[in-house]
Each structure stands twice: as structure tokens, then as C-alpha cells.
Amino acid sequence: MRSRTSLMLACGLVLALGAQASDKTRYVLMLGNGKHVGEQVVEHGDDGMTRVHFIYKDNGRGPEMDEEYRLAPDGTYSDYKVKGTSTFGAVVDEHYTRTGDHAVWKSTSEDGEQTVSGTALFVPLNGTFEAASVAITAVAMRPDGKLPLLPGGTLTQHKLDEVEVTHNGKTERVQLIAQVGQGLTPSFLWATTDVRPRLFAVVNPGIFAAVEEGTEDSIIKTLNAHQKAAEAILLRDMAAHLMRPMPGLTVIRNARVFDSENAKLGAASDVYVLRGRIAAVMPSGQPMRGVEHEIDAGGRVLLPGLFDMHTHTGRWDGGLHLAAGVTTVRDMGNDNATIQQIIDETANGQLLAPQIVPAGFLEGESPYSARIGFVIKTQQEAKDAVDWYAEHGYPQLKIYNSFPHAMVRETVAYAHSRGMRVSGHVPAFMRAQDVVEQGFDEIQHINQVLLNFLVTPATDTRTLDRFILPAERVADLDFDSRPVQDFIALLKAHQTVIDSTLTAFDFIRQRDGDMSQAYAAISDHMPPDVQRGFRQGQLKILDAAKAARYEKSYAKMIEFVGRMYRAGIPLVAGTDQFSGFTLQREFELYVQAGMTPSQVLQIATWNGAKYTRTLADRGSITAGKRADLALIDGDPTTNIADIRKVALVITQGKLLSPSDIDQALGIKPFVQNVPVMRDVVATPSGSASAPALRNARVFGHAAGADLEDRE
């Protein structure tokens, strides 16, 4: 599961379907493989009211909403309302009215009012995709190209490309635009080229498309190709501005090095970096020879680069990972062509991104199938998929919800014969105990583990029951009972790794209007529109008794992770959520579960490398390994919250400033006094003398500044 399960966040999409010549238009929502997963029907009434019905269902969940609105002469809403259910079943009920200069809005998670002078477009929290077409037209109507937003911010849009397409029997030109001002990265939309443009289509290449009924597949392929190319230009520019080369020998002086193998903080050391590798680790203060650059760590803590062991990587996610000190991610399921492209672009230095260790996604055919990776029907198809992944360098296979339980044992054995680890969700109508006994090396998600005690042979965990049952019933589980203790013993005996993603399940206890505990510590650093989302509940929790019960269940999930750790069951730290920031919260929850901060950091470094089979190359600060390093402005071995204060990151032979990355994304930096890399002046004897300061900052340019226009 991803918390970006709401389609707009999970895929980074914004869709709008603007006014058409006909009164009613139906749009088809489909996955990258062509599977239809929903529709949006837009009807423009003679009364000036536009009515929209929207439904999206995939992987056993999705929103369903009815929306209506009326526009003012400037193209912004005068009246707006939407009702329905969210991705996980929470109530959607939101409305907005503007009378003169007085704007009022209310939803299940917020209410507000504001005096407005001139044009301002209200941004609904829960709207259908129609809202973006309204925004496209409204921005185009502004002489300065800037559209003020309510409750705050400014929206701009920038033309990136233009192509000619034949659509429903007519030829027209459409333009690719990037909208900036909402979220942390641009939203990409295909719009018409009229004086008052509307949205033509939206694609997330290889993942999703939304098109008018009757649109040919060839058009979608054309838009995919052009959009990939346009995004690549922006991404290369961002990487060039935010990843600084480190030529020659560089020393990081006076850093307290974290010993990840033994989970303890060492004495001050000097760490030498050459061509992306750690050349030496020496006691601090030794004479320096041949050094061309130095960074004075000033006694800060130096960690091996962190691992996020549960991501679904997109091309725009990398900055958030790197700013959090995450230098390696494990991708746990993706469109195969897309993840191969991202791996290649990262290796070629074209993306601001961590290194990726991919897990091959294997799903069975059913109405609930997740349509990424390979979806199979037969045992031979499963073996063919395993072969493809093995031949493309995947060290691990991930089995998903609809995989046929009768084929699990043989598929796992075959993957093992190809040298691959196997993990996944527990397929429907099985228990966690079954997949452990049939050879799983690892299980994803704490709910999949605890469903072991909650399901019957008839429970279909492809539905929302996989979330509702744990929320309702974990509160009553007796962890000291014989069945639970026997299961813990089974996990220990098999050394089954648990990827719990605790923070991803914070939503089961959040009520509408309450600040998410997962992101409370970072909320003030986020743009206002991102902060609004932190107060949205996702489950239908309408009374105090249910809220208390779900809170207790979540607390016991955290407790169970601690029990597994103390029992000797290996853990990894993964997120399946908001890149970078979720991992930091995951660490806090592991400490809450009873681990020391140093033990948590060991899980996030040494264990990450061990279970991605990269320990020979990373996971510790050791001579000969990759120089994947994160310098922390604090001591996370005593206060795990200090993990948010990442001062510098080194990876792939490049130096990065998290503060500059944050600023480029519209985030208030977490570290103010950033160490700098200085040139070292050689003395006649050949040894290094006092350094000469070259730059007042590590970087002088915020990537994407030409697209940024926040208020």
C-alpha cells in the first residue's frame, strides 16, 4: 500500500476535463497496460452549473465522488462542492462559496474564510480531476500568467512542448505544460492550444492515462514519449545544479563516525574520499598529504548513507530521498520499463536520485490485480517472469495479493534456484505462517504480519479488509498467547526479515482535522498546500470510541515490531510513503518500540545493505566501499529526531546540500549553518596547509528556479 494511494499523490497526476462542445463527456481512466480503472463524466448544464461524476478503483480501493461548481467571469469558482468517499473510505464533503470579496470554505478536515480582492482560485482538498482544467483556463486568462490561490500560494504554468494529434476524426495541436505552485514538484498536463485552453489529456508515462472515450492508443504513446523527453530535460538540469562533482582527494575532517556493524558511535576521525570511494578512515588530526579539498565536519556525526527498503520510485522522488541522507532505495514494485529507465538515468548522472536496488513484482490474474511488473496465470508464466528479473539483475522477487496460493511454493523455490530472495504481501486466502513455511525470505508491512491471527480461509485480503481488520482487532490480540509466541518462534527459526512500514499505517488512527502524527514534526517546513494534506483522515472514523480503538491497535502494531526485534527477528526500515520524511518518522517509531537510536541506525544502514546484498559495497564507513555518507548536524545516536538535520550528503562521487535541495522544492531547510567544501593549498613540502575558502555556499543555484513561483 502507499499512502499516495489517493491517485493524485501516488502518481503525481492532476487531471482536468474542461468544457466541451457537447453537454456530456465521458473520460476513461486506465493503467499503463490499458486496463480501465474508472471514469469521469462531465456535464455542463444550461443553468451554468458543471456536474462531474468520478470513480477510480484499483487494487481493491479508490475514490468515488460527485462534484459540481459554477464559475465567475474570471474563470475561478463562485460556488463549489464535492461529496463522496476517499481512497480508503473516508467521507468526502467539501464546499466553497465566494460572495463579493468574501470567500468561505469547509470540509471534513478544515474550514476557513478570507477577504479576497481580485482573482483567486480555491483549491479543493478532495476534488475530482476536473479542477485542473479550471486552473489551466484561469491561469491563461491572467495577463501576468500568475494565478493567486486560496487558501494560499500562486499557480503558474509553463509550456514545454507541442505536438499534433489526430483525435476523434480531427487534427489539432496540443501542448505539454508544467503547472508549478502546488505540491513539491511540477504537475504535467496536456492542454489544447486555444485562446482559452483546456486540458486535453494527462499521462504518467508507463503508469496511467486519462483520455476522452474513443481516443486511440497511438495518441497516448505519442504523449508518453514527448512527456518523458521534456521531463528529462528538467531533471537533468536539476541534477546538474544540485549534485556537485568532487574531483581529486577530499577529506572530511573531525567527524564522529558511526560504526554500523556494532551500532556504536566512534571517536573523531578523518574520512578520505576519492572517485566515489572511501580511500581511508584515519584518527582525526593526522597529517594530510595529497588532499585537494576538505570539509570540516566540526564534530558532527557521519553516518553511512541510509537505506529506504520500501519505495515505488518515481523520477521526481530522488531529491527528497537524498536530502534525508538516503543514498540507496529498494524499489518494491514498478512498471518494469520505467524502473529500468530510472536506474539507467541515475547511473548516467542524469537524475537527482539515490541508487536503486529493484525487486521484481509478480502478481496473479484477478479483478483485483495490481497491473505493474508481470501479471501471470500459469506456473510457466511465473517462471518466465522470474527468469526475466534474474537476467535483468534483480536480486529479489516480490509476490503480491492475487498471486495463486497453489503456485507459491514452486515459484519461491524456482526464484531461489535463480539466486533471488523472495518477499511480498501474503496472497489472499493464505496466512503469514503459510508463506514463511513455503519459503518467503521476507514479509512486507505490519498488517500483513498481524493478519495471520485475524483472517479465516474465506477472508479476501485484496479488499479494504486488509486495513480494517487490523485497525479493528489488533487492539484485542494477546501477544503473550501461545499462537502469537509460536508464530514469533517460527519467524525467528526461519530468520524471516520483516519490512514493517509502520508509518504507512499511521492513517488508521488519524481523524479528519487532526494533524498527522507521522508528519507533525516537519509540517511547519512544508508549503501551505502540503500542510493542508497532513490534516486529512483516510478511514471513516466518526466517533471517539472507534478512534480510541484504532489508536490502541496502532500502538500494539508498534509494540509487536519491538517484540520481534527482541526475539531476534531481522528488521529493515522501509516507508512506502512520503519520500525521505517518512523514513525519519519510521526511526522514531522503532525507538518507541523499544530499540535504541543506535540500533535503529544499524537497521537503516547495515541491515539495509545486508538484505539488498550490497554489504560488500556499502552500509558502513569502511575503506574500499562506496562513499555513501550523510553528515548530521546533531547526534541521532542519542536523539533520533536529530536524523532530520542532514547537513551534507555524498554519493555517486557527488556532494549535495540538503538545504539547497529543500529550497529548490519549496521546503524550509532543516539546517542553517551548512559546512562547505574548501580547496586545500599545497605547501612547498607537498603537505597540505590551511584551506582556502572558494565558495560561501556549497551551491549557489536552486535547481528549477525558473519554474518556482511560490508565495
Side-chain angles (χ1 to χ4, degrees):
M1 68 143 293
R2 289 188 97 177
S3 155
R4 294 182 288 181
T5 47
S6 139
L7 181 65
M8 299 167 196
L9 293 178
C11 302
L13 304 175
V14 182
L15 170 66
L17 307 162
Q20 306 292 315
S22 60
D23 290 334
K24 182 183 292 186
T25 307
R26 178 176 181 265
Y27 293 83
V28 178
L29 281 58
M30 64 182 72
L31 301 182
N33 63 359
K35 177 190 175 184
H36 290 196
V37 290
E39 67 175 11
Q40 177 164 281
V41 180
V42 183
E43 183 173 6
H44 305 282
D46 293 337
D47 59 355
M49 189 72 74
T50 297
R51 296 172 178 85
V52 185
H53 176 68
F54 176 89
I55 182 170
Y56 174 91
K57 298 293 180 185
D58 182 43
N59 196 13
R61 60 189 183 233
E64 184 169 359
M65 294 176 284
D66 288 290
E67 177 183 60
E68 61 181 53
Y69 66 82
R70 190 187 308 275
L71 297 179
D74 63 359
T76 65
Y77 300 117
S78 58
D79 295 283
Y80 173 91
K81 66 179 178 181
V82 60
K83 290 190 175 184
T85 55
S86 71
T87 296
F88 290 100
V91 173
V92 171
D93 187 357
E94 184 171 6
H95 55 84
Y96 163 86
T97 302
R98 178 173 175 179
T99 305
D101 290 343
H102 188 225
V104 179
W105 62 92
K106 184 176 178 59
S107 71
T108 55
S109 61
E110 70 174 11
D111 61 82
E113 59 182 305
Q114 192 168 320
T115 299
V116 183
S117 177
T119 293
L121 178 68
F122 174 70
V123 179
L125 280 168
N126 300 287
T128 75
F129 293 157
E130 170 69 6
S133 194
V134 172
I136 288 173
T137 307
V139 174
M141 294 172 64
R142 298 282 294 169
D144 61 358
K146 298 180 179 180
L147 179 64
L149 301 174
L150 288 176
T154 301
L155 188 69
T156 61
Q157 55 193 30
H158 310 264
K159 181 177 177 179
L160 304 180
D161 197 0
E162 185 175 312
V163 298
E164 186 174 273
V165 298
T166 300
H167 168 68
N168 285 340
K170 67 176 182 178
T171 299
E172 60 182 309
R173 298 197 68 80
V174 295
Q175 58 181 325
L176 175 64
I177 60 174
Q179 282 193 346
V180 178
Q182 296 185 74
L184 302 178
T185 57
S187 294
F188 298 96
L189 307 162
W190 287 95
T192 64
T193 53
D194 307 302
V195 175
R196 292 169 64 95
R198 58 168 179 81
L199 190 130
F200 173 77
V202 61
V203 294
N204 186 8
I207 305 296
F208 176 87
V211 296
E212 185 176 346
E213 188 174 33
T215 300
E216 298 177 5
D217 291 343
S218 60
I219 294 177
I220 300 173
K221 291 178 181 178
T222 298
L223 300 184
N224 263 278
H226 279 263
Q227 186 169 322
K228 276 188 175 182
E231 289 188 45
I233 294 171
L234 298 179
L235 289 161
R236 284 197 296 268
D237 180 67
M238 180 177 285
H241 284 121
L242 292 172
M243 301 181 74
R244 181 181 180 186
M246 298 177 65
L249 184 64
T250 299
V251 62
I252 305 167
R253 291 195 303 106
N254 192 23
R256 292 180 292 165
V257 172
F258 179 69
D259 176 355
S260 57
E261 182 177 7
N262 298 296
K264 64 181 182 181
L265 189 61
S269 300
D270 295 340
V271 179
Y272 291 78
V273 176
L274 180 66
R275 301 186 187 97
R277 295 275 171 179
I278 298 171
V281 181
M282 306 289 290
S284 187
Q286 296 289 314
M288 298 184 297
R289 294 185 178 276
V291 174
E292 297 178 51
H293 311 286
E294 75 154 6
I295 299 168
D296 184 0
R300 295 176 177 88
V301 171
L302 189 66
L303 300 176
L306 303 174
F307 284 70
D308 186 336
M309 294 290 279
H310 197 125
T311 70
H312 298 272
T313 308
R315 296 167 88 195
W316 290 91
D317 295 338
L320 291 174
H321 285 301
L322 292 171
V326 176
T327 58
T328 303
V329 299
R330 184 174 63 176
D331 186 274
M332 294 304 295
N334 219 312
D335 171 71
N336 290 335
T338 297
I339 195 63
Q340 289 292 308
Q341 177 188 5
I342 293 173
I343 291 171
D344 289 343
E345 289 176 329
T346 301
N348 294 331
Q350 297 172 319
L351 282 185
L352 182 69
Q355 299 147 105
I356 298 170
V357 178
F361 194 88
L362 193 55
E363 171 71 304
E365 183 64 63
S366 87
Y368 295 100
S369 299
R371 299 283 167 172
I372 56 175
F374 288 102
V375 180
I376 60 91
K377 295 180 181 178
T378 68
Q379 189 68 66
Q380 186 57 51
E381 288 177 344
K383 289 183 177 180
D384 291 344
V386 171
D387 287 339
W388 190 93
Y389 285 128
E391 291 158 3
H392 284 78
Y394 289 64
Q396 182 166 328
L397 182 72
K398 179 184 178 183
I399 289 174
Y400 206 59
N401 298 331
S402 290
F403 194 83
H405 55 82
M407 293 165 51
V408 169
R409 189 183 299 274
E410 186 173 347
T411 303
V412 171
Y414 187 70
H416 285 163
S417 77
R418 294 301 313 263
M420 301 173 72
R421 299 178 71 248
V422 179
S423 73
H425 288 203
V426 177
F429 312 113
M430 298 183 76
R431 294 188 302 161
Q433 177 178 331
D434 301 326
V435 299
V436 172
E437 292 171 342
Q438 294 185 34
F440 267 39
D441 301 291
E442 181 177 340
I443 298 174
Q444 266 69 53
H445 305 304
I446 189 62
N447 71 323
Q448 297 287 326
V449 174
L450 291 173
L451 280 166
N452 190 73
F453 311 108
L454 308 177
V455 298
T456 71
T459 304
D460 192 343
T461 51
R462 294 171 297 185
T463 69
L464 289 179
D465 277 351
R466 68 182 182 271
F467 310 115
I468 301 299
L469 283 175
E472 292 280 359
R473 295 176 54 190
V474 168
D476 296 329
L477 280 179
D478 180 2
F479 290 161
D480 294 317
S481 66
R482 183 60 180 269
V484 175
Q485 289 300 307
D486 286 349
F487 178 64
I488 289 175
L490 178 73
L491 293 173
K492 180 181 180 181
H494 286 259
Q495 283 295 283
T496 306
V497 178
I498 303 299
D499 168 24
S500 63
T501 64
L502 279 170
T503 308
F505 293 90
D506 182 86
F507 77 92
I508 72 168
R509 50 119 172 238
Q510 184 183 354
R511 302 183 70 178
D512 268 325
D514 293 344
M515 170 59 69
S516 166
Q517 295 184 46
Y519 304 114
I522 63 159
S523 179
D524 288 348
H525 289 258
M526 296 295 116
D529 59 298
V530 177
Q531 293 183 35
R532 292 174 73 201
F534 293 155
R535 295 188 178 275
Q536 286 186 273
Q538 297 185 53
L539 286 182
K540 189 176 181 179
I541 306 175
L542 301 180
D543 61 81
K546 178 177 281 191
R549 183 169 189 80
Y550 286 14
E551 181 76 43
K552 183 177 179 181
S553 287
Y554 188 67
K556 292 196 71 172
M557 292 179 187
I558 299 170
E559 177 190 343
F560 195 75
V561 170
R563 283 179 175 250
M564 289 191 292
Y565 181 81
R566 290 187 291 275
I569 297 164
L571 304 180
V572 292
T575 60
D576 202 13
Q577 272 273 2
F578 194 3
S579 301
F581 297 110
T582 303
L583 190 66
Q584 296 165 346
R585 176 59 177 169
E586 193 79 2
F587 296 166
E588 291 181 324
L589 294 179
Y590 278 21
V591 170
Q592 188 177 324
M595 296 164 234
T596 68
S598 290
Q599 289 170 336
V600 174
L601 294 172
Q602 181 184 52
I603 289 169
T605 53
W606 186 268
N607 280 17
K610 179 177 180 180
Y611 295 111
T612 55
R613 296 179 173 172
T614 59
L615 191 54
D617 199 44
R618 63 196 86 164
S620 65
I621 300 177
T622 306
K625 289 192 175 184
R626 287 178 181 266
D628 288 347
L629 306 168
L631 188 65
I632 310 300
D633 194 25
D635 185 359
T637 67
T638 58
N639 178 17
I640 197 63
D642 281 351
I643 198 65
R644 296 187 177 92
K645 303 174 184 177
V646 185
L648 287 178
V649 173
I650 295 173
T651 188
Q652 302 165 65
K654 304 291 178 61
L655 179 67
L656 301 100
S657 164
S659 293
D660 283 346
I661 294 173
D662 286 341
Q663 287 177 334
L665 298 176
I667 299 169
K668 177 183 175 183
F670 292 82
V671 176
Q672 299 302 318
N673 298 314
V674 177
V676 295
M677 184 169 72
R678 298 177 170 91
D679 293 343
V680 174
V681 179
T683 65
S685 64
S687 61
S689 69
L693 179 63
R694 175 188 287 178
N695 297 316
R697 297 177 65 200
V698 175
F699 304 97
H701 179 87
D706 55 324
L707 288 183
E708 290 294 341
D709 190 8
R710 298 184 184 277
E711 289 186 0

